[in-house]
Amino acid sequence: MDRQKNWERLQQETFDICIIGAGASGAGSALDAALRGYRVALIDRGDFSGETSSRSTKLIHGGVRYLEQAIKKLDLAQLRQVRHGLAERRTVIRNAPHLAHPLAILTPVFSWFEGMYMTVGLTLYDFIAGHDAFPKGRWLKQAEALDKSPMLTRQMHSAVLYYDGQFNDARYALALTHSADEAGAAVVNYVAVTGFGRENGQLKTAVATDQLTGETISIRASVFLNCTGPYADAVRLLANPGLEPRIRPSKGVHIVLPRETLQSDYAILIPKTKDGRVVFAIPFGDKVFVGTTDNDYSDLTEEPVLEPDEVDYLLETVRPYLAKMPERSDVQAGFGGIRPLIVSSRADTKTLLRDHEVEHDSESGLLSLLGGKWTTYRLMAQDAIDRAGELLKKTVPGRTETHYLVGGEGYNLDDWKQLQSKYKLPEDVCQHLMRTYGNRAGKVAQLTKVQPVLAEKLTESQPFIGAEVIYQVREEMAVTVRDVLARRWRLELSNWQLTARLTPQVADLMAAELSWSETHRTSQINAYQSLLATFTKQAGLTSEQSTLAAN
């Protein structure tokens, strides 16, 4: 992806559809539209998936909680949610197998009745899923459950096993964006829409400012599609100040614990909490993510961060399910995201539907894709582009269901052995490259032939090598150190201290590739390390951690 070339395209071309927001729904819509042959622009005021789409629980699922609510309340809308989610589960994995895979999940229960209740519910979950490739769940005796997940509490009666999907959300959104670019879309990050130009009240241009240079241009398009998630109301009101708000933002956070917390590849579902929600403890790389919370969030100008009471809530929730209780000192990082819940008459955010809606404002012409969740991003995009095609009076059927994303086609993890044989890289590095870049891993490794120094690990504890940073700058439009460490790698999510320590090395590699001045390089390092130190302090973690993060 060539940022400068695409920026010039934004100025020179007239597009059928300009999509604002490059998270899951925006990137998915851009790919869908480009594959249908529409002329497409995709812009985001920050990095691709820089907000909600990179801060999920990393699950691809139908929604066990939605199924329970659907049955208890005879709610067909929630049952439809589950059915759509389970149908899309296999498509998400099929189209990017390097970034998504089935995940085994255990639900510890503390009585025979509780076990039977969960078994019936999860059997129904499997039934709705139909004959897909996911293994079927079953009820395990305590000894069987402990064999699979040895850190579970001995107080449990038994456990129910079922399967959902797990994925790398930020890189999945990036793969959608990259695929849209290769299908012909003009894709540019760090471009903010600050206004619209109109003819007879209808949107004809978007006033867009490059957040890196300050340059402002007008983007011409027939249809403007708002895919900004929890920030959708801001764009809606920019297009038409008379509209009523439709989004009720909800904050969800996760804490990050050491892998030893579970000592297992099996995740844990905690089916009931003191406030009626569900919480997951999920192995992800060499860490365990525990979340999430669900609370109203009002200040959309502030990045959602982990706070002390949220750390306490998640620790208290997970402790009864584990033999060795995690402590605050075990928390190594955390992250928060904002859900784009659609306003309804329901009383609280945990009961709001996360289904989606395509809204057309006839007064301005703006299309807005509202609500939804990661698992059903493709259906959301399909609905939005179907509607855009109607407005363009040029309908074309969608083609995304069987379209491999960048890195996905022909993927086989065992190809890491060929990578190792050809490039003489360590085993863990080769496996990491395959899981991160799929069939593009060889393009990353090839850089080490040109510059052997790029084959060196940045730190012994992780498989990251310098060649990746160069590839991410050249091919994945990384333009800040946070783009690399938070999203193209997921290190910021899992270890704030190590992220801070690697920041100068990443900055040095980017500075050489992007011809940064020494002032800009230093500014990137200081700003990011300061941000990480702030995260540590705001979460109420130890002063020792805060000092390490600052260094």
Side-chain angles (χ1 to χ4, degrees):
M1 297 190 290
D2 187 321
R3 189 175 187 277
Q4 182 58 37
K5 178 182 175 183
N6 285 354
W7 173 253
E8 291 169 2
R9 287 184 61 193
L10 293 183
Q11 301 173 65
Q12 297 164 0
E13 298 180 21
T14 298
F15 299 94
D16 293 316
I17 308 170
C18 175
I19 300 168
I20 305 165
S25 60
S29 294
L31 175 60
D32 188 308
L35 290 176
R36 298 191 201 201
Y38 297 127
R39 294 167 297 176
V40 182
L42 173 66
I43 58 176
D44 196 291
R45 68 178 184 180
D47 191 22
F48 309 122
S49 74
E51 302 288 349
T52 298
S53 294
S54 61
R55 304 176 188 188
S56 75
T57 306
K58 323 299 179 220
L59 286 179
I60 312 158
H61 63 99
V64 172
R65 186 183 76 191
Y66 301 131
L67 177 61
E68 184 177 31
Q69 293 298 319
I71 294 170
K72 282 183 175 180
K73 300 180 180 181
L74 299 177
D75 189 334
L76 293 179
Q78 298 226 35
L79 190 60
R80 185 176 67 248
Q81 276 266 81
V82 175
R83 184 167 55 81
H84 285 167
L86 289 172
E88 285 301 298
R89 224 177 33 170
R90 62 178 174 268
T91 302
V92 171
I93 293 176
R94 181 257 177 211
N95 289 351
H98 57 307
L99 299 174
H101 56 85
L103 175 71
I105 304 174
L106 289 168
T107 304
V109 296
F110 295 87
S111 69
W112 180 90
F113 176 79
E114 194 180 0
M116 178 57 70
Y117 178 79
M118 292 298 301
T119 299
V120 170
L122 292 171
T123 299
L124 179 58
Y125 193 67
D126 284 341
F127 176 77
I128 296 171
H131 299 290
D132 59 16
F134 281 70
K136 300 304 178 186
R138 58 194 178 95
W139 193 357
L140 305 178
K141 295 178 181 178
Q142 187 199 74
E144 293 177 287
L146 290 172
D147 182 60
K148 298 180 185 302
S149 189
M151 298 306 290
L152 289 177
T153 177
R154 270 61 177 170
Q155 302 301 312
M156 68 178 175
H157 171 272
S158 51
V160 181
L161 169 66
Y162 79 103
Y163 291 82
D164 258 329
Q166 183 177 45
F167 75 136
N168 185 333
D169 53 8
R171 287 210 63 90
Y172 206 103
L174 179 65
L176 287 167
T177 306
H178 202 159
S179 300
D181 179 275
E182 293 193 353
V187 172
V188 189
N189 55 2
Y190 295 99
V191 175
V193 171
T194 57
F196 290 104
R198 296 169 170 78
E199 288 181 17
N200 300 319
Q202 297 289 296
L203 306 183
K204 294 299 180 183
T205 61
V207 180
T209 301
D210 187 331
Q211 300 298 284
L212 305 181
T213 66
E215 183 181 359
T216 296
I217 62 170
S218 289
I219 302 173
R220 300 179 297 276
S222 299
V223 174
F224 290 89
L225 173 59
N226 171 19
C227 292
T228 54
Y231 309 96
D233 281 339
V235 177
R236 293 173 66 247
L237 293 171
L238 194 63
N240 182 355
L243 293 175
E244 291 292 323
R246 293 294 314 281
I247 299 297
R248 183 172 170 183
S250 168
K251 179 187 177 186
V253 302
H254 296 76
I255 58 173
V256 179
L257 298 169
R259 177 81 177 196
E260 298 74 52
T261 305
L262 293 183
Q263 289 185 17
S264 173
D265 291 330
Y266 287 69
I268 298 173
L269 165 64
I270 298 171
K272 56 183 180 182
T273 63
K274 62 185 180 183
D275 52 358
R277 297 171 178 139
V278 298
V279 165
F280 291 91
I282 297 178
F284 190 88
D286 62 349
K287 297 291 186 285
V288 171
F289 293 169
V290 178
T292 179
T293 57
D294 197 346
N295 299 296
D296 281 327
Y297 194 71
S298 57
D299 191 356
L300 293 179
T301 63
E302 294 292 327
E303 179 173 347
V305 296
L306 184 64
E307 298 176 21
D309 61 331
E310 295 166 333
V311 174
D312 293 338
Y313 167 82
L314 291 172
L315 287 173
E316 290 166 8
T317 299
V318 77
R319 277 173 184 149
Y321 292 82
L322 299 175
K324 184 177 183 294
M325 297 183 181
E327 302 296 336
R328 175 178 282 273
S329 59
D330 295 320
V331 178
Q332 299 179 342
F335 56 96
I338 309 173
R339 300 181 186 88
L341 304 179
I342 302 176
V343 166
S344 78
S345 59
R346 297 173 186 241
D348 57 75
T349 58
K350 69 176 179 286
T351 59
L352 284 177
L353 272 179
R354 294 182 66 188
D355 214 345
H356 67 276
E357 176 183 332
V358 181
E359 175 194 74
H360 177 234
D361 173 35
S362 58
E363 189 172 329
S364 69
L366 180 71
L367 270 186
S368 293
L369 180 49
L370 306 175
K373 64 178 184 177
W374 240 119
T375 305
T376 54
Y377 85 86
R378 195 190 65 82
L379 291 180
M380 294 161 58
Q382 183 173 279
D383 289 349
I385 302 306
D386 283 349
R387 188 73 180 94
E390 293 170 5
L391 295 174
L392 291 166
K393 295 182 173 55
K394 187 169 60 174
T395 58
V396 181
R399 303 198 287 121
T400 54
E401 187 170 7
T402 57
H403 185 81
Y404 283 106
L405 304 187
V406 162
E409 189 167 9
Y411 170 75
N412 184 346
L413 176 59
D414 285 344
D415 287 347
W416 71 263
K417 297 171 185 175
Q418 298 175 26
L419 210 62
Q420 184 181 44
S421 174
K422 183 174 182 180
Y423 296 102
K424 312 305 179 189
L425 296 168
E427 178 178 325
D428 64 332
V429 169
C430 293
Q431 291 182 1
H432 159 71
L433 293 179
M434 288 301 303
R435 290 191 176 102
T436 306
Y437 307 95
N439 64 24
R440 305 288 173 97
K443 293 188 70 173
V444 183
Q446 181 62 35
L447 295 171
T448 67
K449 290 287 191 182
V450 181
Q451 288 181 269
V453 69
L454 295 178
E456 296 176 8
K457 287 187 182 183
L458 272 64
T459 175
E460 274 307 308
S461 65
Q462 297 290 335
F464 307 138
I465 59 172
E468 294 180 79
V469 179
I470 306 306
Y471 178 84
Q472 290 164 9
V473 169
R474 292 179 183 176
E475 303 288 342
E476 298 181 344
M477 216 177 284
V479 294
T480 74
V481 289
R482 196 178 189 192
D483 293 346
V484 171
L485 286 159
R487 288 173 288 274
R488 281 137 189 91
W489 293 333
R490 308 312 315 277
L491 193 61
E492 181 192 299
L493 296 191
S494 60
N495 192 323
W496 288 333
Q497 296 177 43
L498 182 56
T499 301
R501 290 203 295 271
L502 293 189
T503 297
Q505 293 171 257
V506 171
D508 288 347
L509 289 161
M510 296 186 77
E513 185 66 21
L514 292 168
S515 301
W516 285 351
S517 67
E518 178 58 26
T519 300
H520 185 71
R521 187 194 73 87
T522 302
S523 174
Q524 283 275 317
I525 295 169
N526 291 343
Y528 193 34
Q529 288 184 331
S530 177
L531 181 67
L532 294 165
T534 300
F535 289 163
T536 305
K537 183 177 180 180
Q538 289 179 311
L541 301 183
T542 65
S543 58
E544 178 186 2
Q545 285 175 299
S546 184
T547 301
L548 282 169
N551 292 331

